[in-house]
């Protein structure tokens, strides 16, 4: 059989270099507790939570085609489950983090049963209502402090330095795991199926793709990720309250990060998180004006840079750090003959 | 006499896919011209280009001497070019009468009014307050036709009037044609039914894969010429 | 029990006003305005600002003056901002309206601080009409209910019996063919939003009169509006009113049982309706 005249290429030279750089960065970052200030570690943990939450929101909206304003339900749920396991079941909170995430993923199943009744813009608001139900429910449970919340007592015995470095490493591990999870998922056949569903549900269904099951799968994975971010956040914060755990601001920030960075692209939340962190660092002292500016920026980017800023760069200059596309290459002169009359 | 409506080398695209490869077409006032061709030949795309639903280069289409390519559909219907769209596309939330009234939005002067339409299609008067889409296929086609007439156009484009209708219903619809063309209305029909097209039209264009494969007076063209042009079978293949 | 029902109906009148604008915008152009509640609060603050600027003793006049401003504002907003977000993808309209929500809340915080304000109605908010010995109906809530009924009836009439209403229905059924008929969808959408904003301004003025308002009140009002529309069923303004009544009554029952669970109970009933009858209780069927 003659050798194939076309080949499928997945990675660009730029992305291969980026992978090496990424591994190096992670290794350097892992050493931070030995030479860095503790405030850096705390900031990293906070940004890590924002980023993981944003990346999962991105997965749900950009790839699953489901725009939700209620992911904070799972964020807070993960946090509360972690806290309850730590305070009442005596579990090590660091172990409780993935368990909290798991709980969030599990609770997403019955929630989806309600949420999937709606679609489009009304799905978005419906998920917000559900998040409010979570918030109000926890606010009425006195065992976890009701409306004013409670503290994570399970870490009381550990000294500050150890707690901070462990939290930091945990955050780093979560970031790497979340990125790897999303990246591998999207490169797989399931990932392609997801893109097909996003582009045209009916056509995808006719190709044999189990649309309903895939949407549920994405919803559960996104909930798991949100729960992971929440559990991690409150280990770092040591104090939880319903208003903090289930605040819609989480989703607002995620939307902001993803919209600025570009919906539907893996690098988007990364770029968005970095820009968000920078803006936070220098402008958050301005309080309301800062938030107002964020809102305006999100509006302007949505209206004029429909692909987000990173997406704009991708279109313009073909940048791609996390390639999930497959490019058709001509590997032999015969390919030119075969492909001549097709544009 | 210069043409009422003409196109020159009209090309049209759906995204990256090219649907029309350069259509030359002309229409004189008072004519009834038929466009025939297989599915996907580009007939509907052509009509949509004329009415502004598909983008076209500004100069490629001229109506009453003025270029109209790429204008918004509203501008084009106000100038007197109306279309009965493929598949009827009545408004489900509107009654029969409301659908007809929608057609009068351009507010052009002319002989067509609700009264006159109800005279032409009495069944519609009976069902005037029913939802447009609750009628039978043939009756919906009458509403769609009436809706286009309500704008008192100079040129009426009819996209696949007979689609999905029984032969007896198709004859009923076409029986109304003389009343429509009586005052000099120019009509273009896109038809799958070649026999019907030859019967009612003065001239025929045959489209094949986005190009005009045949054009001529209906009376002069033979069945064999038409079927060759329709299917795109080259002359040489016969020898 | 009767008192709870009556209070619920009166509350439902208010929720109707919150929800009508949302129902209108979604009905005509499938646009979900997540800043609905914030615009209502903005309307309330506009009246408050107007009253303090003009020193008016009749806030009703100020409220009336705000209405045409709201109309113009809604028209411009839709024509030049929101029209660009319409399409198959719900994300742009959601993000833009969400962004507007944040902008409004923070703008109001800057201009007015977080303190709750109210529109002084010279005692109207406390007046009541006695019904026998046991019950007293507030005059203002009755006014709100009356306005809600009139607004619903007016919208229904507009849609069913006017050329503009016909345009709304046509453009929502089939935008392409509506444009083929000569309508400018952009302008029709802008008019729909303009009318929606008049309703929003009315709702805001009345909310500011019956209770205090603060800049961050918006989101909760949005949820109530949304729940009313869903419970009632989409496509019908009387349905929205019915949904608002049911929500109001449900919340009042919840408040009766335990003050902390009132709103929660409303949310739960909403979710139950969503699961059992997702098309709503009184949906308008098509064709």
């Amino acid at each position: 059989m003659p050798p194939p005249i076309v080949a499928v290429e997945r990675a660009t030279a730029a992305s291969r270099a980026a992978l090496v750089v990424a591994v190096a960065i992670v290794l350097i970052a892992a050493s931070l507790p030995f030479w860095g200030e503790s405030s850096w570690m705390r900031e990293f943990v906070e940004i890590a939570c924002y980023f993981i939450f944003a990346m999962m929101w991105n997965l749900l909206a950009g790839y699953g085609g489901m725009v939700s304003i209620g992911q904070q339900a799972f964020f807070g749920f993960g946090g509360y489950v972690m806290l309850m396991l730590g305070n009442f079941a005596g579990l090590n909170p660091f172990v409780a983090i993935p368990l909290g995430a798991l709980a969030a993923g599990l609770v997403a199943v019955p929630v989806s049963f309600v949420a999937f009744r709606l679609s489009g813009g009304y799905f978005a608001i419906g998920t917000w209502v559900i998040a409010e139900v979570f918030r109000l429910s926890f606010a009425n449970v006195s065992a976890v402090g009701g409306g004013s919340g409670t503290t994570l007592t399970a870490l009381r015995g550990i000294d500050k330095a150890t707690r901070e470095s462990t939290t930091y490493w945990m955050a780093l591990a979560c970031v790497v795991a979340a990125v790897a999870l999303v990246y591998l998922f999207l490169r797989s056949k399931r990932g392609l199926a997801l893109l097909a569903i996003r582009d045209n549900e009916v056509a995808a269904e006719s190709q044999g793709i189990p649309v309903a099951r895939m949407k549920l799968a994405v919803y559960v994975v996104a909930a798991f990720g949100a729960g992971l971010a929440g559990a991690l956040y409150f280990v770092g914060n040591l104090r939880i309250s319903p208003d903090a755990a289930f605040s819609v601001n989480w989703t607002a920030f995620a939307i902001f990060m993803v919209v600025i960075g570009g919906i539907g692209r893996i690098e988007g939340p990364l770029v968005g998180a970095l820009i968000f962190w920078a803006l936070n660092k220098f402008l958050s002292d301005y309080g309301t004006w800062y938030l107002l500016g964020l809102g305006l920026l999100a509006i302007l980017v949505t209206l004029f840079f429909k692909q987000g800023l990173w997406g704009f760069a991708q279109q313009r200059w073909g940048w791609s750090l996390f390639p999930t596309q497959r490019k058709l290459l001509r590997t032999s002169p015969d390919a030119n003959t075969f492909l001549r009359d097709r544009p | 006499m210069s043409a009422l409506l003409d196109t020159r080398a009209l090309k049209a695209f759906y995204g990256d896919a090219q649907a029309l490869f350069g259509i030359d077409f002309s229409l004189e006032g008072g004519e009834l011209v038929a466009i025939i061709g297989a599915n996907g030949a580009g007939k509907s795309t052509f009509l949509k280009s004329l009415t502004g639903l598909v983008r076209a280069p500004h100069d490629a289409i001229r109506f009453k001497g003025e270029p109209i390519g790429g204008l918004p559909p509203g501008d084009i219907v106000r100038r007197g070019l109306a279309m009965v769209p493929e598949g009827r596309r009545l408004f489900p939330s509107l009654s029969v009468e409301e659908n007809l009234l929608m057609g009068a939005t351009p507010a052009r002067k002319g002989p067509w009014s609700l009264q006159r339409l109800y005279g032409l299609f009495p069944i519609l008067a009976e069902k005037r307050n029913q939802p447009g889409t609750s009628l039978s296929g043939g009756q919906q086609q009458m509403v769609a036709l009436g809706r286009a007439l309500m704008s008192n156009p100079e040129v009426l484009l009819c996209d696949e009037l007979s689609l999905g209708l029984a032969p007896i219903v198709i004859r009923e619809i076409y029986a109304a044609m003389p009343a429509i063309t009586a005052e000099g209305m120019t009509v273009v029909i896109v038809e799958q039914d070649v026999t019907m097209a030859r019967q009612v039209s003065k001239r025929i264009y045959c489209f094949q894969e986005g190009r005009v494969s045949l054009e001529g007076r209906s009376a002069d063209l033979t069945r064999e010429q038409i079927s060759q042009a329709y299917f795109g079978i080259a002359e040489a293949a016969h020898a | 029990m009767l008192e709870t029902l009556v209070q619920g109906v009166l509350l439902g009148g208010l929720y109707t006003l919150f929800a009508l604008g949302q129902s209108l915008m979604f009905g005509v152009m499938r646009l979900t305005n997540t800043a609905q509640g914030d615009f209502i609060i903005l309307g309330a603050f506009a009246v408050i600002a107007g009253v303090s600027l003009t020193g008016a003793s009749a806030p009703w006049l100020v409220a009336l003056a705000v209405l045409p401003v709201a109309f113009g504002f809604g028209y411009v907003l839709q024509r030049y901002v929101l029209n660009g977000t319409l399409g198959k993808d719900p994300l742009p309209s959601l993000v833009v309206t969400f962004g507007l929500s944040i902008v409004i809340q923070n703008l109001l915080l800057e201009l007015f601080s977080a303190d709750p304000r109210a529109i002084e109605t010279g005692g109207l908010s406390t007046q009541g009409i006695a019904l026998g010995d046991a019950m007293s109906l507030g005059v203002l809530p009755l006014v709100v209910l009356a306005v809600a009924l009139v607004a619903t009836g007016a919208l229904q009439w507009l849609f069913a019996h006017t050329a503009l209403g016909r345009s709304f229905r046509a453009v929502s059924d089939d935008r392409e063919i509506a444009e083929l008929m000569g309508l400018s969808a952009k302008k029709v959408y802008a008019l729909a939003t303009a009318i929606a904003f008049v309703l929003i301004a009315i709702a805001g003025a009345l909310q500011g009169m019956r209770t205090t308002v603060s800049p961050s009140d918006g989101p909760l009002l949005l949820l109530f509006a949304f729940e009313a529309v869903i419970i009632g069923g989409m496509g019908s303004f009387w349905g929205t009113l019915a949904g608002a009544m049911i929500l109001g009554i449900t919340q009042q029952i919840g408040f009766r049982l335990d003050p902390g669970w009132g709103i929660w109970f409303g949310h739960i009933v909403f979710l139950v309706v969503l699961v059992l009858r997702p098309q709503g209780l009184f949906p308008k069927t098509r064709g």
Side-chain angles (χ1 to χ4, degrees), chain B residues 84 88 90 96 100 117 120-124 135-149 161 165 168-169 172-174 176 180:
Chain B
V84 183
R88 270 84 68 182
L90 299 185
V96 166
L100 294 173
L117 272 173
L120 184 62
F121 298 125
I123 185 75
L124 297 188
L135 273 53
S136 72
Q139 292 162 354
Q140 285 192 36
Q141 192 63 272
M142 293 175 194
V143 178
L145 188 50
R147 189 174 61 177
L149 288 171
L161 285 177
L165 301 179
I168 190 171
V169 178
E172 213 184 312
I173 307 264
Y174 274 105
I180 292 171

Side-chain angles (χ1 to χ4, degrees), chain A residues 67 117 121-122 125 137 140 288, chain C residues 32 94 110 226 261 264 275:
Chain A
V67 180
R117 294 299 215 193
Y122 276 7
I125 304 184
S137 301
N140 277 302
T288 45
Chain C
T32 308
L94 227 79
E110 269 305 316
F226 164 70
W261 294 95
W264 180 90
V275 170

